[in-house]
Amino acid sequence: MQIRLLLFAVLREVVGSDQKPLELEEGTTAAEVWERLRREHPRLAAYDTPPMVAVNQEYADPATPLRPGDELAFIPPVSGG
Amino acid sequence: MQIRLLLFAVLREVVGSDQKPLELEEGTTAAEVWERLRREHPRLAAYDTPPMVAVNQEYADPATPLRPGDELAFIPPVSGG
Amino acid sequence: MGDAFAHLTDDPIDFRALIASVQGREDGAIVTFAGVVRDHSEGKSVESIHYDAYRSMAEKELAAIVSELGRELPEVRVAVIHRLGRLVVGEASIAIACASPHRAEAFTACREVIERVKKRVPIWKKERTPEGEEWVGWQGGG
Amino acid sequence: MGDAFAHLTDDPIDFRALIASVQGREDGAIVTFAGVVRDHSEGKSVESIHYDAYRSMAEKELAAIVSELGRELPEVRVAVIHRLGRLVVGEASIAIACASPHRAEAFTACREVIERVKKRVPIWKKERTPEGEEWVGWQGGG
């Protein structure tokens, strides 16, 4: 299945892109995508807390399996206001 | 001694004046002036709480003797803001 | 901090000037409060309110409140202005601005100023309703 | 109440419009909060801040916060706007306006909105200091 990964703030800079389509096996979770991203980008290993997860613009449990066409975003600790 | 009595809001309307000079005996207190005002203006008897007292633009104890030249004001419950 | 910004005015309140008087480069938070004439009060319809004051004392009390907050919350800069005369529904009778490096103190200061103004500053309001005009707040009168 | 007033903007914030969007004839109190870029942060001198957002989600979260407050404090009308892009010292990054018949609820709502925004809305800031630029808030990075 294909999903779309969105990247913001420091994650966009580390990955060097603001979005990328990902081809995943059925049942892959957001947490698994995060682990894959950390393997591909060793700089991410420095962050001691995993980011929050948003699926289709809503906060979601990282353990929930993704579905085809989902818009997945990792949300670093927010600092707006 | 002479003092100056200032009247505001409902007191000004009841008394019909915004200030009046008063000739008082030495040692007269603000509380005594208030009692005198109530005798002269029976409508004031309706108010169940005495007003606060200000002497020379500061809140003061109604039992403190006034001094010559003082500016005395009775302060009905305030409703600004 | 300079002199306390604590004034009475007979004109509409200039919010922008009030905020400008408190905001410094070190401030990350600005909290404002405006008290506004509303169209009802205790079940009655209100058309307008006339504010009267013991002007010289009211200015002293407003300045005293600003000074107190300056001592209690030294990070915060406070400004307050109260309008007098006749105000119609929707117009601001009082405006308070508090600027601070951090928001908690700015909120606390702003709330404290309005509570102290309502308790102590010699200003009185007379409400105009369809039944006539009445001074507010002294039980037993009228 | 109509639609929630909860927006992102790339332009300077229009406070007057924000207040006008919440004030009704029944309101006696208007509380506003502005978050402003300040000239220092944790001991460092700050020159400017760049705000980035997950725009579609940030707008949903802002609207959700306004709706929550509408349920929790039904007397209060709430508006919030967050600015994005590069802001210099003294400029407002966020503004919140809360109007209510009574002041206690307006203060509570205004404080709640900023706390929830800071907790949940996907917006990030990158501070520019004399030493360079850095994203704020994720321990261990950099």
Side-chain angles (χ1 to χ4, degrees), chain C residues 1 26 38 61 72 77 86 90 95 105 115 120 122 126 140 142:
Chain C
M1 284 192 41
E26 67 278 25
R38 64 179 200 265
E61 286 292 320
E72 295 166 30
R77 274 152 302 287
R86 181 158 306 280
E105 293 83 347
E115 299 305 327
R120 297 165 31 184
K126 192 178 194 179

Side-chain angles (χ1 to χ4, degrees), chain B residues 6 8-13 34 46-51 54 56-59 71 73 75-81, chain C residues 51-54 56-57 60-61 82 93-94 118-126 135-142:
Chain B
L6 302 186
F8 299 98
V10 66
L11 291 178
R12 184 183 55 221
E13 293 187 359
W34 174 246
Y47 293 99
D48 46 14
T49 46
N56 300 326
Q57 295 134 43
E58 291 195 2
Y59 285 109
E71 178 177 297
I75 311 286
V78 302
S79 53
Chain C
Y51 285 92
D52 186 23
Y54 181 4
S56 55
M57 182 176 169
K60 280 189 186 182
E61 286 292 320
H82 201 299
S93 52
I94 188 170
K118 285 185 170 276
K119 212 168 279 172
R120 297 165 31 184
V121 179
I123 297 177
W124 300 272
K125 67 177 173 184
K126 192 178 194 179
W135 290 101
V136 172
W138 206 358
Q139 297 306 314

Side-chain angles (χ1 to χ4, degrees), chain D residues 34-118:
Chain D
V36 173
V37 176
R38 63 178 202 265
D39 65 2
H40 67 282
S41 173
E42 296 175 9
K44 287 175 302 189
S45 163
V46 172
E47 294 167 355
S48 66
I49 294 181
H50 177 82
Y51 285 91
D52 187 21
Y54 182 2
R55 283 180 185 250
S56 55
M57 182 177 170
E59 287 192 331
K60 280 189 186 182
E61 285 293 320
L62 288 175
I65 291 168
V66 170
S67 296
E68 288 163 18
L69 269 300
R71 282 192 300 275
E72 295 167 30
L73 296 165
E75 278 198 329
V76 186
R77 275 151 301 289
V78 175
V80 56
I81 188 162
H82 201 300
R83 185 174 166 192
L84 302 176
R86 182 159 304 281
L87 279 68
V88 297
V89 172
E91 288 191 297
S93 52
I94 188 170
I96 299 162
C98 296
S100 171
H102 304 103
R103 68 188 179 281
E105 293 84 348
F107 273 105
T108 301
C110 198
R111 184 71 196 268
E112 272 302 305
V113 171
I114 183 60
E115 299 305 329
R116 295 182 195 188
V117 167
K118 285 184 170 276

Side-chain angles (χ1 to χ4, degrees), chain C residues 14 34-35 42 48 58 65 81 87-89 92 97 107 127 129:
Chain C
D14 182 347
E42 295 174 9
S48 66
I65 290 168
I81 189 162
L87 279 68
V88 298
V89 172
F107 273 105
E127 287 177 347
T129 71

Side-chain angles (χ1 to χ4, degrees), chain A residues 13 47 59 71 76 79 81, chain D residues 54 82 93 120 123 125-126:
Chain A
E13 293 187 359
Y47 292 99
Y59 285 109
E71 177 177 298
S79 52
Chain D
Y54 182 2
H82 201 300
S93 52
R120 297 166 30 185
I123 298 177
K125 66 177 173 183
K126 192 177 194 181

